[in-house]
Amino acid sequence: MEENALSHAVLGAALEVHRFLGPGLLESVYRQALCRELTLQGLPWRAEVPLAAAYKGLSFDVAYRLDIVVGEKVVLELKVAEKLLPVHEAQLLSYLRLSRKRLGLLINFNVPRLKQGVKRVVNGL
């Protein structure tokens, strides 16, 4: 499945989770629920994916953990925040660069309507 189709399916799964659970829970609850919904929809995913980093010959084996990677193409960064900030978008863009992925979705579940909490981030590679 290509990136745009995957992102569309992921948004449908996230909407279902948000409709069922609503805002105000812990990020770990949304992550587990979203993984369950992705499974129910037949989408391949991995959670808490280790991400290495390097700096001028210095390697950091597991510098970060990606919340969820869907279909090995789309990185999901989940938040439960009052609002999405520029630093959240910058964080996801850094993850995309380090993982050499092109598309990421920043999803904040702490909103009345999930549409208000979704930001699509593209890495120009």
Side-chain angles (χ1 to χ4, degrees):
M1 192 179 283
E2 61 109 24
E3 293 159 338
N4 287 328
L6 278 173
S7 69
H8 183 75
V10 165
L11 290 174
L15 282 167
E16 178 62 19
V17 168
H18 192 265
R19 255 194 300 267
F20 190 86
L21 295 176
L25 302 176
L26 294 174
E27 182 183 313
S28 60
V29 172
Y30 294 112
R31 184 176 52 252
Q32 290 177 48
L34 183 55
C35 289
R36 176 66 177 149
E37 190 61 36
L38 293 170
T39 297
L40 291 173
Q41 292 189 19
L43 296 170
W45 58 270
R46 293 188 301 142
E48 296 290 318
V49 179
L51 181 62
Y55 176 77
K56 296 183 179 182
L58 178 62
S59 294
F60 307 97
D61 293 335
V62 180
Y64 304 100
R65 293 198 180 272
L66 304 177
D67 286 340
I68 303 172
V69 177
V70 181
E72 297 303 319
K73 293 182 180 181
V74 180
V75 175
L76 308 183
E77 178 62 25
L78 308 183
K79 298 291 182 195
V80 176
E82 190 172 323
K83 67 179 184 174
L84 291 176
L85 300 172
V87 69
H88 297 136
E89 187 175 343
Q91 175 188 25
L92 179 53
L93 187 56
S94 292
Y95 289 170
L96 290 173
R97 287 181 183 141
L98 288 170
S99 65
R100 296 183 183 92
K101 305 264 189 265
R102 194 170 99 64
L103 181 62
L105 294 173
L106 184 55
I107 304 172
N108 181 15
F109 283 96
N110 198 34
V111 290
R113 297 184 64 223
L114 191 63
K115 184 177 180 180
Q116 300 165 324
V118 175
K119 176 78 176 169
R120 181 181 169 100
V121 177
V122 177
N123 176 19
L125 298 175

